[in-house]
Amino acid sequence: MSKNLPITRSHGLEAIELVSPDGARATIALHGAQVLSWIPAGGAEQLYLSPKSEFSNGHAIRGGVPVCFPQFAERGPLKKHGFARTKPWTLVSAEQGEHDALAVLRLADDPASRMVWPHAFEAELSVLVHGRSLQIELAVENRGEAGAEAFEFTTALHSYFAINDIDEASVDGLSGLNYLDSVDQTEKAQRVSLLLPSGELDRIYLNAKQDLTLKEQGISTQRELQISQQGFEDVVVWNPGAERAASLADLPDGDWRKYLCVEAATVGRPVRLEPGESWVGMQSLVLA
Ligand SMILES: O=P(O)(O)OC[C@H]1O[C@H](O)[C@H](O)[C@@H](O)[C@@H]1O
């Protein structure tokens, strides 16, 4: 038997509190369909959320898992990361099942979206939480009539992982990949498996098929978070570093040390959908 979950509030926004019978929890704001919190069963908060975020309509929230769609970053004519993260999504369903909890949210084109992106579309974000895992799936459909135009988009699930300190964190599993370095706009190759963040880091790893591990090895912290993806082709790793962080008004001083973004993305080769076609991408997280 599944149980419907009500709309509650988080940070002043309408939200869904997913609670799985095993105690795992996730909070999703209807604003942007943004996951704001994930607490695995028996674990601690896994996502960073800036206390200086602007939690109101039309603004991007710094932290959790923003949905970048239909444009990643400034790689196109739309506003940065597209419009999906600053729009209210509608709740399709939120349920606690026997072993898990699932929420589904939807965004469709409207007059405002058609002004900047003239396409009929439907996007659905599903969030499934149970035990030590969280799965976030983004599905996009071209809802144009037969004979309408195909559209292209770039996208990301822009996950902000909470860490104790950037100097204790690393990402493992990136060897052999080419990446676009957004700091100096060059293409490079990653030879070693381990990435130890230092300074500003903003990379799009192309064709990233292998699973990754976010590791934290500090005096008080030992943590391994497995990150895998399907459907998405690339992985973005981002941390602003001290200097760039100083220009982010919605980030407290020093908080750049407290997160690392590892994003499931499709940037290098945009997704192209003909009318009636759809695309699905997923990021799966498991706390070891
Ligand atoms: O500050 P935002 O608009 O949320 O963007 C935050 C970051 O998102 C991505 O990770 C991009 O690769 C970065 O270049 C960008 O700075």
Side-chain angles (χ1 to χ4, degrees):
M1 268 292 284
S2 59
K3 189 173 87 182
N4 283 338
L5 298 167
I7 293 179
T8 56
R9 294 193 91 78
S10 176
H11 298 86
L13 298 171
E14 284 191 317
I16 290 296
E17 298 281 353
L18 286 181
V19 185
S20 164
D22 54 26
R25 310 173 81 91
T27 308
I28 306 124
L30 271 53
H31 173 91
Q34 193 150 337
V35 179
L36 300 179
S37 162
W38 167 41
I39 303 176
E45 179 60 64
Q46 299 297 305
L47 300 177
Y48 172 81
L49 181 61
S50 169
K52 284 182 80 179
S53 285
E54 183 95 38
F55 293 99
S56 60
N57 280 340
H59 290 97
I61 299 169
R62 170 101 35 224
V65 186
V67 178
C68 305
F69 173 85
Q71 177 185 297
F72 178 77
E74 283 153 322
R75 295 173 166 267
L78 303 181
K79 66 177 180 179
K80 194 174 176 192
H81 290 322
F83 49 74
R85 65 173 175 167
T86 52
K87 275 189 169 285
W89 291 47
T90 46
L91 182 66
V92 177
S93 63
E95 291 176 354
Q96 186 188 66
E98 234 177 283
H99 305 291
D100 51 25
L102 170 73
V104 181
L105 293 94
R106 188 175 291 155
L107 181 72
D109 57 290
D110 61 15
S113 76
R114 288 192 293 270
M115 290 273 287
V116 293
W117 201 61
H119 304 293
F121 76 91
E122 197 169 270
E124 237 175 48
L125 190 88
S126 308
V127 181
L128 180 74
V129 67
H130 66 98
R132 313 272 282 177
S133 81
L134 182 77
Q135 287 174 1
I136 309 173
E137 184 184 278
L138 177 66
V140 178
E141 187 185 340
N142 182 337
R143 302 273 290 170
E145 314 260 304
E149 274 182 17
F151 62 65
E152 291 194 349
F153 64 90
T154 50
T155 179
L157 296 175
H158 192 310
S159 308
Y160 284 72
F161 296 110
I163 50 179
N164 187 46
D165 189 272
I166 194 85
D167 286 343
E168 298 172 354
S170 60
V171 181
D172 200 6
L174 294 162
S175 60
L177 297 176
N178 288 342
Y179 63 89
L180 304 174
D181 192 328
S182 306
V183 177
D184 61 12
Q185 308 301 331
T186 54
E187 187 165 347
K188 297 173 186 155
Q190 169 106 13
R191 306 201 193 283
V192 294
S193 184
L194 205 62
L195 173 68
L196 294 165
S198 68
E200 185 182 2
L201 187 68
D202 194 354
R203 299 178 177 182
I204 304 165
Y205 286 90
L206 300 167
N207 254 312
K209 298 275 185 279
Q210 55 256 56
D211 296 348
L212 305 175
T213 310
L214 173 65
K215 296 183 175 175
E216 269 198 281
Q217 283 163 319
I219 298 164
S220 58
T221 7
Q222 295 287 330
R223 165 174 167 238
E224 287 201 358
L225 186 70
Q226 284 147 14
I227 305 170
S228 58
Q229 63 185 48
Q230 288 94 43
F232 288 100
E233 292 194 341
D234 311 320
V235 166
V236 177
V237 182
W238 178 62
N239 180 278
E243 249 172 72
R244 167 111 18 216
S247 68
L248 302 176
D250 55 359
L251 197 64
D253 281 355
D255 264 25
W256 63 274
R257 306 190 68 92
K258 295 190 177 159
Y259 72 85
L260 185 62
C261 291
V262 182
E263 312 164 27
T266 287
V267 182
R269 215 163 52 104
V271 179
R272 180 184 170 86
L273 293 179
E274 297 289 341
E277 284 185 338
S278 47
W279 166 92
V280 181
M282 177 157 79
Q283 188 182 51
S284 305
L285 310 168
V286 179
L287 181 65

